[in-house]
Structures are given as C-alpha cells and as structure tokens.
Amino acid sequence: MQEAVIKKRVLFTLLLVSSAAFAADLTGNWVSAQDLKDGTFRRTYLDLRQVGQTITGHIRAGAFYYEVKAAQSTSPDAWTLTGSMMDGANERKVTYEVKLSGDELHVATRRNSNAPLNESIAHRAPAGEGAYPKRIDLPALHKVPSNGLAKTPPMGWNSWNKFAGRVDDAAVRSMADAMASNGMKEAGYIYVNIDDTWQADSRDAQGVLQPNKKFPDMKALADYIHSKGLKLGIYSSPGPNTCAGYEGSYGHEEQDAKTWAAWGIDYLKYDWCGARNIYKDDEMQAAYQKMGDALLKADRPILYSLCQYGRQDVWKWGPDVGGNAWRTTGDIRDTWDSMSKIGFDQDPLASWAGPGHWNDPDMLEIGNGGMTETEYRTHMSLWSMLASPLLAGNDLRAVPKPIMDILTNSEVIAIDQDPLGHQARRIWKSGEQEAWIRDLTGGAQAIAIFNRSAKDSNVTVDWAALGMKKAPKTLRDLWLHRDIPVVKDGFSGNVPGHGVVLLRTSK
Ligand code: GLA
C-alpha cells in the first residue's frame, strides 16, 4: 500500500515536471523592435511553430530571411534556434538564443561570430505581420537603351565608408559645401551620394517611398546640392530591404524612379541585398533591367550604378540593363590588404570597361586613416589606371593637405578620366613588383610601376618588357609633377614599399 502511494506520487511529480517542460510554447509571430533614432525601427520577426520539442518557422531580420533548421532546448523554456538562408551559392547561418518569459521572448544573437551579442525582447505580433513579400516574377530580358551618361568614370563622394548609418541632411550639405570650396569640384568631383539608411520604415498610403527623420526634405536637399553646381545620388535595392535593413524598391521600381526624378536625384546605387531572399543569382540581370527601364521612364538623367559584388559576370550584361557602372567585388575596407587585393585583381576585367559603362572596384578609402599616404597614393593611382569611378569616402570637412593633394591630383585624375576609356592591363610582373599600362588619347600611355612589398625597392624594367618598341619621347612623373629624363633602355628607379611611380609618356 505504502509503495503504491509512493509510486503514484513519483508519477504525479514526473507529470508535473514534464508538463512544465512542454508548457512553454513558442508558437506564434514574435516581433522585437530596436529604435534606430531616425524615426525607424529595426524589427526582427520570429514566426515559429512548435510541436513538442520540434520548432519550425522563419526569422526575418532586416535584409536576412532565415528558415529555422534546428532547435535545441537548453532548458524547459529556452532554445537555441539555428537559421539558414542561401546567399547565392553560399549558405549563411545564424543562431538565435530564445527564452520564453511570461508573454515575452528574450532574444539574443550575433551577426557573425566576432560581432557583439545583440539582445532584445520580442512580443507577440498579429499573424502575418512582417510576412516576407511574395515573389514577383521578372520580365523577359531585353536591351535597355543607353542613358548617355558617364562618358568618363563618375566622380564624387559617397557617405558609406566614413558615415555608414550616421549620414544625415546636415552631413550631406556640409560635404557639398566642402566639395564646392576645397578644390574637389574643380578637380571633377561632382556627385554627392547618399548611401544606405536614408529611408523611412514605411511608404505613404499611395506607396511613395519616404525619407526618415535624418532627411526632412529630399527635394530641398537636391535643390541645395544643385545650387552648388553638384549632383545628388541615392541608394536602394531590388529587394524588399537594403543591406542595413531599410526599405528597398521591390515591387515599386517605377514608382521609386519617379519619386527620385521628382526630388531631383541624379545617381542611383542599386544594391542586391534583400533581393537574395527572393531571386536566384541568375535572375539578377532581369531584376537590374527592371530598374534600368524604370529610370529611363522616369525621364530624368539618372546615372545607374549596379552593386551586386561582381557576381554573375555582371560586366558581361551590365550595359544591357542600362548600367553605367557595376561593382566588381565585395566591400572595400580601409586597409592595405583589402585595397590591394581588390585593385590588383582587376586585370582580367579590363576589356569590359569603356565610355558609358565602367568596372567599379568600390569607393575610395583615401583619408580614412587606415593606410599610409604612400598606400593612399597607390590606391588613387591604381583606381585611376583602372578607369574606376572615383568616389571619395572620407570626411571632406577638414581634409589634411597631403590627403587633399592625393584626391585632387589633376594629372592622375586625367588618367582616370581619359576619354578613350581604356582600362589598364598588367603588363609585367617580377616578384612583388608589377607594371600596368593604360593607353590614352592621342597615343600617349600611362605606366604605373607598383611595389607591393612592404620594403622600398629598386625597380628596373625594359621598355620592351612594357610592350614598347622604343623609348618614349618624354616621361612625366605624375606624383612629382615633373618631367624626368628618359633613359634609353627602360625605367629604373626606387619605388617605396606599397608605393607607386606613376608616369605618363608621350609618343
Ligand atoms: C553593401 C554595399 C556597400 C554599402 C552597404 C550599405 O554592403 O556593398 O557599399 O552600400 O551595403 O548597407
């Protein structure tokens, strides 16, 4: 008898414990909102179904839309959810630690293994809120007529490298003020480009895209920029979200192009980002074509810059979608390794650049502090040899003279802007020394002799090794701003570690 009572009690306790273990049910649509202080919130939606210990569903966080692939219970009311999404051919994985506490879900995640822990509290949201938009099929491919812009590579400034999410109306105006008065405008820098984080959370009742609090009046801002003799650029995505999680142009392409035209926008950077959750990489051309058509229809000259990190051999179809430039790489960082890897890898793409359509190895980091002046001269020389867009990425309000001299070296800019539009090729390499040649209008050539090693080196190279039949008539050093003696056999001189000697020949 005694034993039976004990057994019953044990059974009862077990039931209680196990029912407690299974009582916590994550089923539902959960939302957390981080106030970005610009009138927008970064919302994360966890749309989850729980059956016993199995949890399925999706997590939508800015431009990322993960399927829950695994759920590991870490205590009766806490789980580790593993989310996965495809980014082109690559799988992107993330883990979310979630803990149910009353009617709140405590959520912790890291953007990547080195990033700080991001903690938030999610609340129950109505079913369907934040649901990921349905796929909109893409048009058949056709050739978008050229807009006639960018006969030479675009030049200007872009907010991302220095300001990222901190860009606002005042910063943009002060960059324009600086550009118009510090010699940059005269040197050819014309576009003032606002990158990501200018958009509001939602569109108006008619679906018109709105700026957030940081940009109170886009039309007024464009008028101001134009009054300085400069042009204004903006940023969006073919996906529902931009890389920073802001509103993209998905399903609103024509409407957005019209809005930008009405504001007076002159340049669009169009960044794949959230589109990867909807389209496959091999659908990029059609997605970019859609905006190319929309920009033409908007009836204002808007330079069209594609940003999809050089996937899908974009250089082969960039001009067909109306693109004036296309990124050929992932994001640049302000380090020698990042800049030199990107820049010196561009050789195979030379034949795809030309007037109206340019390879874009990303924006300049000159003046941002992560490289030496010698390295920044290499950056400027290499980008100019590559006929790359020259978009300064530093704070223009107080530029030290040596940095300004690099950015505004008119002889180097003349190489970048040479109307022939031929991108340089690597013609000679010996260990970490290499020479690149670019044909210029009128039979002249630019020769860049780079020393990629960290140590100063003497470089000696024959004219023949540079593909020249005879010594050039004259030779000008574009950083020293003076003609140098032409030696019969070839070039011989000291090139500083990570540095360059940039020369211009005449026939
Ligand atoms: C991507 C682009 C960058 C920048 C950011 C903004 O990473 O490649 O150049 O535009 O998005 O979120």
PDB file of all heavy atoms in Angstrom, residues 4 57 69 88 106 121 139 168 175 203 264 267 271 286 310 327 329 334 344 380 415 424 433 460 471 489:
ATOM      1  N   ALA A   4       2.578   1.753  -3.251  1.00  0.00           N
ATOM      2  CA  ALA A   4       1.694   2.258  -4.316  1.00  0.00           C
ATOM      3  C   ALA A   4       1.547   3.777  -4.219  1.00  0.00           C
ATOM      4  O   ALA A   4       1.557   4.490  -5.225  1.00  0.00           O
ATOM      5  CB  ALA A   4       0.325   1.588  -4.216  1.00  0.00           C
ATOM      6  N   GLY A  57       9.812  27.295 -38.703  1.00  0.00           N
ATOM      7  CA  GLY A  57       9.372  28.666 -38.971  1.00  0.00           C
ATOM      8  C   GLY A  57      10.461  29.483 -39.621  1.00  0.00           C
ATOM      9  O   GLY A  57      11.413  28.932 -40.190  1.00  0.00           O
ATOM     10  N   LYS A  69      16.201  25.813 -39.036  1.00  0.00           N
ATOM     11  CA  LYS A  69      16.588  24.457 -39.459  1.00  0.00           C
ATOM     12  C   LYS A  69      16.765  23.514 -38.275  1.00  0.00           C
ATOM     13  O   LYS A  69      16.726  22.307 -38.440  1.00  0.00           O
ATOM     14  CB  LYS A  69      17.921  24.513 -40.230  1.00  0.00           C
ATOM     15  CG  LYS A  69      17.813  25.186 -41.577  1.00  0.00           C
ATOM     16  CD  LYS A  69      17.269  24.222 -42.612  1.00  0.00           C
ATOM     17  CE  LYS A  69      17.367  24.864 -43.961  1.00  0.00           C
ATOM     18  NZ  LYS A  69      16.925  24.145 -45.061  1.00  0.00           N
ATOM     19  N   GLY A  88      23.216  33.501 -52.762  1.00  0.00           N
ATOM     20  CA  GLY A  88      23.824  32.947 -53.968  1.00  0.00           C
ATOM     21  C   GLY A  88      24.119  31.483 -53.714  1.00  0.00           C
ATOM     22  O   GLY A  88      23.251  30.739 -53.243  1.00  0.00           O
ATOM     23  N   HIS A 106      12.783  36.533 -24.887  1.00  0.00           N
ATOM     24  CA  HIS A 106      14.101  37.177 -24.844  1.00  0.00           C
ATOM     25  C   HIS A 106      14.945  36.589 -25.962  1.00  0.00           C
ATOM     26  O   HIS A 106      15.058  35.367 -26.079  1.00  0.00           O
ATOM     27  CB  HIS A 106      14.764  36.954 -23.486  1.00  0.00           C
ATOM     28  CG  HIS A 106      14.041  37.661 -22.387  1.00  0.00           C
ATOM     29  ND1 HIS A 106      14.625  38.604 -21.586  1.00  0.00           N
ATOM     30  CD2 HIS A 106      12.741  37.598 -21.982  1.00  0.00           C
ATOM     31  CE1 HIS A 106      13.736  39.075 -20.743  1.00  0.00           C
ATOM     32  NE2 HIS A 106      12.573  38.472 -20.959  1.00  0.00           N
ATOM     33  N   ILE A 121      13.965  42.112 -26.748  1.00  0.00           N
ATOM     34  CA  ILE A 121      12.776  41.423 -26.232  1.00  0.00           C
ATOM     35  C   ILE A 121      11.703  41.462 -27.305  1.00  0.00           C
ATOM     36  O   ILE A 121      11.375  42.528 -27.841  1.00  0.00           O
ATOM     37  CB  ILE A 121      12.284  42.091 -24.928  1.00  0.00           C
ATOM     38  CG1 ILE A 121      13.340  41.851 -23.846  1.00  0.00           C
ATOM     39  CG2 ILE A 121      10.924  41.550 -24.519  1.00  0.00           C
ATOM     40  CD1 ILE A 121      13.017  42.401 -22.500  1.00  0.00           C
ATOM     41  N   PRO A 139      10.611  40.351 -65.665  1.00  0.00           N
ATOM     42  CA  PRO A 139      10.352  40.452 -67.103  1.00  0.00           C
ATOM     43  C   PRO A 139      11.371  39.667 -67.928  1.00  0.00           C
ATOM     44  O   PRO A 139      12.470  39.378 -67.441  1.00  0.00           O
ATOM     45  CB  PRO A 139      10.515  41.953 -67.381  1.00  0.00           C
ATOM     46  CG  PRO A 139      11.381  42.452 -66.276  1.00  0.00           C
ATOM     47  CD  PRO A 139      11.111  41.607 -65.087  1.00  0.00           C
ATOM     48  N   ASP A 168      23.334  62.163 -42.512  1.00  0.00           N
ATOM     49  CA  ASP A 168      22.070  62.889 -42.442  1.00  0.00           C
ATOM     50  C   ASP A 168      22.147  64.130 -43.350  1.00  0.00           C
ATOM     51  O   ASP A 168      23.179  64.376 -43.992  1.00  0.00           O
ATOM     52  CB  ASP A 168      21.716  63.275 -40.995  1.00  0.00           C
ATOM     53  CG  ASP A 168      22.765  64.177 -40.355  1.00  0.00           C
ATOM     54  OD1 ASP A 168      23.659  64.672 -41.075  1.00  0.00           O
ATOM     55  OD2 ASP A 168      22.690  64.396 -39.127  1.00  0.00           O
ATOM     56  N   MET A 175      29.190  68.232 -46.788  1.00  0.00           N
ATOM     57  CA  MET A 175      30.116  67.631 -47.764  1.00  0.00           C
ATOM     58  C   MET A 175      30.050  68.411 -49.078  1.00  0.00           C
ATOM     59  O   MET A 175      31.076  68.661 -49.715  1.00  0.00           O
ATOM     60  CB  MET A 175      29.758  66.165 -48.057  1.00  0.00           C
ATOM     61  CG  MET A 175      29.959  65.242 -46.909  1.00  0.00           C
ATOM     62  SD  MET A 175      31.581  65.359 -46.146  1.00  0.00           S
ATOM     63  CE  MET A 175      31.060  65.311 -44.460  1.00  0.00           C
ATOM     64  N   ARG A 203       6.093  53.189 -46.506  1.00  0.00           N
ATOM     65  CA  ARG A 203       5.722  54.103 -47.574  1.00  0.00           C
ATOM     66  C   ARG A 203       4.449  54.842 -47.181  1.00  0.00           C
ATOM     67  O   ARG A 203       3.789  54.437 -46.229  1.00  0.00           O
ATOM     68  CB  ARG A 203       5.504  53.281 -48.855  1.00  0.00           C
ATOM     69  CG  ARG A 203       6.794  52.657 -49.342  1.00  0.00           C
ATOM     70  CD  ARG A 203       6.593  51.561 -50.357  1.00  0.00           C
ATOM     71  NE  ARG A 203       7.900  51.091 -50.786  1.00  0.00           N
ATOM     72  CZ  ARG A 203       8.592  51.604 -51.799  1.00  0.00           C
ATOM     73  NH1 ARG A 203       8.063  52.563 -52.544  1.00  0.00           N
ATOM     74  NH2 ARG A 203       9.788  51.150 -52.093  1.00  0.00           N
ATOM     75  N   GLY A 264      14.788  65.269 -57.804  1.00  0.00           N
ATOM     76  CA  GLY A 264      15.966  65.836 -58.474  1.00  0.00           C
ATOM     77  C   GLY A 264      17.214  64.989 -58.270  1.00  0.00           C
ATOM     78  O   GLY A 264      18.336  65.503 -58.254  1.00  0.00           O
ATOM     79  N   TYR A 267      21.684  60.152 -59.504  1.00  0.00           N
ATOM     80  CA  TYR A 267      22.557  58.967 -59.472  1.00  0.00           C
ATOM     81  C   TYR A 267      21.885  57.946 -58.568  1.00  0.00           C
ATOM     82  O   TYR A 267      21.398  58.291 -57.496  1.00  0.00           O
ATOM     83  CB  TYR A 267      23.893  59.396 -58.862  1.00  0.00           C
ATOM     84  CG  TYR A 267      25.037  58.406 -58.805  1.00  0.00           C
ATOM     85  CD1 TYR A 267      26.236  58.681 -59.467  1.00  0.00           C
ATOM     86  CD2 TYR A 267      24.986  57.244 -58.050  1.00  0.00           C
ATOM     87  CE1 TYR A 267      27.329  57.823 -59.388  1.00  0.00           C
ATOM     88  CE2 TYR A 267      26.073  56.370 -57.970  1.00  0.00           C
ATOM     89  CZ  TYR A 267      27.239  56.674 -58.637  1.00  0.00           C
ATOM     90  OH  TYR A 267      28.326  55.839 -58.555  1.00  0.00           O
ATOM     91  N   ASP A 271      21.614  48.141 -54.820  1.00  0.00           N
ATOM     92  CA  ASP A 271      22.376  47.120 -54.086  1.00  0.00           C
ATOM     93  C   ASP A 271      21.522  45.861 -53.876  1.00  0.00           C
ATOM     94  O   ASP A 271      20.450  45.920 -53.266  1.00  0.00           O
ATOM     95  CB  ASP A 271      22.786  47.757 -52.739  1.00  0.00           C
ATOM     96  CG  ASP A 271      23.825  46.963 -52.016  1.00  0.00           C
ATOM     97  OD1 ASP A 271      24.029  45.784 -52.347  1.00  0.00           O
ATOM     98  OD2 ASP A 271      24.429  47.520 -51.084  1.00  0.00           O
ATOM     99  N   ALA A 286      17.646  40.284 -64.890  1.00  0.00           N
ATOM    100  CA  ALA A 286      16.259  40.746 -65.087  1.00  0.00           C
ATOM    101  C   ALA A 286      15.857  41.743 -64.003  1.00  0.00           C
ATOM    102  O   ALA A 286      15.165  42.737 -64.274  1.00  0.00           O
ATOM    103  CB  ALA A 286      15.319  39.552 -65.099  1.00  0.00           C
ATOM    104  N   GLY A 310      29.931  41.947 -58.018  1.00  0.00           N
ATOM    105  CA  GLY A 310      30.644  41.300 -59.109  1.00  0.00           C
ATOM    106  C   GLY A 310      30.187  39.875 -59.389  1.00  0.00           C
ATOM    107  O   GLY A 310      30.894  39.115 -60.049  1.00  0.00           O
ATOM    108  N   ARG A 327      29.755  47.215 -59.551  1.00  0.00           N
ATOM    109  CA  ARG A 327      30.757  46.761 -58.594  1.00  0.00           C
ATOM    110  C   ARG A 327      31.309  45.421 -59.066  1.00  0.00           C
ATOM    111  O   ARG A 327      30.563  44.572 -59.546  1.00  0.00           O
ATOM    112  CB  ARG A 327      30.118  46.629 -57.215  1.00  0.00           C
ATOM    113  CG  ARG A 327      30.015  47.950 -56.473  1.00  0.00           C
ATOM    114  CD  ARG A 327      31.282  48.238 -55.686  1.00  0.00           C
ATOM    115  NE  ARG A 327      31.393  47.232 -54.656  1.00  0.00           N
ATOM    116  CZ  ARG A 327      30.747  47.300 -53.487  1.00  0.00           C
ATOM    117  NH1 ARG A 327      30.014  48.336 -53.192  1.00  0.00           N
ATOM    118  NH2 ARG A 327      30.884  46.338 -52.600  1.00  0.00           N
ATOM    119  N   THR A 329      33.437  43.656 -56.943  1.00  0.00           N
ATOM    120  CA  THR A 329      33.963  42.974 -55.746  1.00  0.00           C
ATOM    121  C   THR A 329      33.032  43.183 -54.557  1.00  0.00           C
ATOM    122  O   THR A 329      32.115  43.994 -54.606  1.00  0.00           O
ATOM    123  CB  THR A 329      35.319  43.581 -55.321  1.00  0.00           C
ATOM    124  OG1 THR A 329      35.078  44.856 -54.726  1.00  0.00           O
ATOM    125  CG2 THR A 329      36.253  43.751 -56.489  1.00  0.00           C
ATOM    126  N   ASP A 334      39.349  49.859 -45.217  1.00  0.00           N
ATOM    127  CA  ASP A 334      40.427  50.855 -45.215  1.00  0.00           C
ATOM    128  C   ASP A 334      41.737  50.217 -44.754  1.00  0.00           C
ATOM    129  O   ASP A 334      42.324  50.617 -43.754  1.00  0.00           O
ATOM    130  CB  ASP A 334      40.008  52.012 -44.286  1.00  0.00           C
ATOM    131  CG  ASP A 334      41.008  53.158 -44.298  1.00  0.00           C
ATOM    132  OD1 ASP A 334      41.812  53.244 -45.246  1.00  0.00           O
ATOM    133  OD2 ASP A 334      40.978  53.958 -43.334  1.00  0.00           O
ATOM    134  N   PHE A 344      44.489  45.001 -57.412  1.00  0.00           N
ATOM    135  CA  PHE A 344      45.394  44.235 -58.283  1.00  0.00           C
ATOM    136  C   PHE A 344      44.713  43.002 -58.888  1.00  0.00           C
ATOM    137  O   PHE A 344      45.295  42.340 -59.732  1.00  0.00           O
ATOM    138  CB  PHE A 344      46.664  43.847 -57.508  1.00  0.00           C
ATOM    139  CG  PHE A 344      47.558  45.028 -57.225  1.00  0.00           C
ATOM    140  CD1 PHE A 344      47.772  45.475 -55.925  1.00  0.00           C
ATOM    141  CD2 PHE A 344      48.163  45.714 -58.267  1.00  0.00           C
ATOM    142  CE1 PHE A 344      48.587  46.575 -55.675  1.00  0.00           C
ATOM    143  CE2 PHE A 344      48.980  46.814 -58.032  1.00  0.00           C
ATOM    144  CZ  PHE A 344      49.193  47.248 -56.732  1.00  0.00           C
ATOM    145  N   MET A 380      44.897  55.677 -55.202  1.00  0.00           N
ATOM    146  CA  MET A 380      44.440  56.663 -56.199  1.00  0.00           C
ATOM    147  C   MET A 380      45.005  56.326 -57.584  1.00  0.00           C
ATOM    148  O   MET A 380      44.289  56.420 -58.602  1.00  0.00           O
ATOM    149  CB  MET A 380      44.914  58.058 -55.754  1.00  0.00           C
ATOM    150  CG  MET A 380      44.427  59.188 -56.622  1.00  0.00           C
ATOM    151  SD  MET A 380      42.678  59.533 -56.311  1.00  0.00           S
ATOM    152  CE  MET A 380      42.372  60.757 -57.587  1.00  0.00           C
ATOM    153  N   ILE A 415      44.271  60.749 -65.979  1.00  0.00           N
ATOM    154  CA  ILE A 415      44.406  59.349 -66.423  1.00  0.00           C
ATOM    155  C   ILE A 415      43.058  58.652 -66.271  1.00  0.00           C
ATOM    156  O   ILE A 415      42.542  58.021 -67.189  1.00  0.00           O
ATOM    157  CB  ILE A 415      45.484  58.596 -65.588  1.00  0.00           C
ATOM    158  CG1 ILE A 415      46.827  59.314 -65.627  1.00  0.00           C
ATOM    159  CG2 ILE A 415      45.596  57.131 -66.021  1.00  0.00           C
ATOM    160  CD1 ILE A 415      47.475  59.394 -66.970  1.00  0.00           C
ATOM    161  N   ALA A 424      43.486  49.916 -67.663  1.00  0.00           N
ATOM    162  CA  ALA A 424      44.878  49.417 -67.701  1.00  0.00           C
ATOM    163  C   ALA A 424      44.950  47.892 -67.614  1.00  0.00           C
ATOM    164  O   ALA A 424      44.053  47.245 -67.058  1.00  0.00           O
ATOM    165  CB  ALA A 424      45.651  50.018 -66.536  1.00  0.00           C
ATOM    166  N   GLN A 433      56.877  43.237 -57.627  1.00  0.00           N
ATOM    167  CA  GLN A 433      56.880  44.467 -58.427  1.00  0.00           C
ATOM    168  C   GLN A 433      56.056  44.207 -59.682  1.00  0.00           C
ATOM    169  O   GLN A 433      56.147  43.130 -60.271  1.00  0.00           O
ATOM    170  CB  GLN A 433      58.304  44.828 -58.824  1.00  0.00           C
ATOM    171  CG  GLN A 433      59.237  44.899 -57.629  1.00  0.00           C
ATOM    172  CD  GLN A 433      60.696  45.006 -58.036  1.00  0.00           C
ATOM    173  OE1 GLN A 433      61.063  44.790 -59.188  1.00  0.00           O
ATOM    174  NE2 GLN A 433      61.531  45.341 -57.071  1.00  0.00           N
ATOM    175  N   THR A 460      63.809  47.895 -62.077  1.00  0.00           N
ATOM    176  CA  THR A 460      64.390  48.132 -63.401  1.00  0.00           C
ATOM    177  C   THR A 460      63.589  47.300 -64.389  1.00  0.00           C
ATOM    178  O   THR A 460      63.436  46.090 -64.202  1.00  0.00           O
ATOM    179  CB  THR A 460      65.871  47.703 -63.426  1.00  0.00           C
ATOM    180  OG1 THR A 460      66.554  48.483 -62.444  1.00  0.00           O
ATOM    181  CG2 THR A 460      66.496  47.946 -64.788  1.00  0.00           C
ATOM    182  N   ALA A 471      61.982  53.748 -76.700  1.00  0.00           N
ATOM    183  CA  ALA A 471      61.818  54.606 -75.524  1.00  0.00           C
ATOM    184  C   ALA A 471      60.799  55.706 -75.828  1.00  0.00           C
ATOM    185  O   ALA A 471      60.747  56.207 -76.961  1.00  0.00           O
ATOM    186  CB  ALA A 471      63.166  55.233 -75.170  1.00  0.00           C
ATOM    187  N   ASP A 489      67.187  52.507 -72.279  1.00  0.00           N
ATOM    188  CA  ASP A 489      66.832  51.085 -72.151  1.00  0.00           C
ATOM    189  C   ASP A 489      65.486  50.824 -71.483  1.00  0.00           C
ATOM    190  O   ASP A 489      64.814  49.849 -71.795  1.00  0.00           O
ATOM    191  CB  ASP A 489      67.912  50.362 -71.340  1.00  0.00           C
ATOM    192  CG  ASP A 489      69.250  50.425 -72.058  1.00  0.00           C
ATOM    193  OD1 ASP A 489      69.233  50.614 -73.288  1.00  0.00           O
ATOM    194  OD2 ASP A 489      70.285  50.324 -71.376  1.00  0.00           O
TER     195      ASP A 489
END
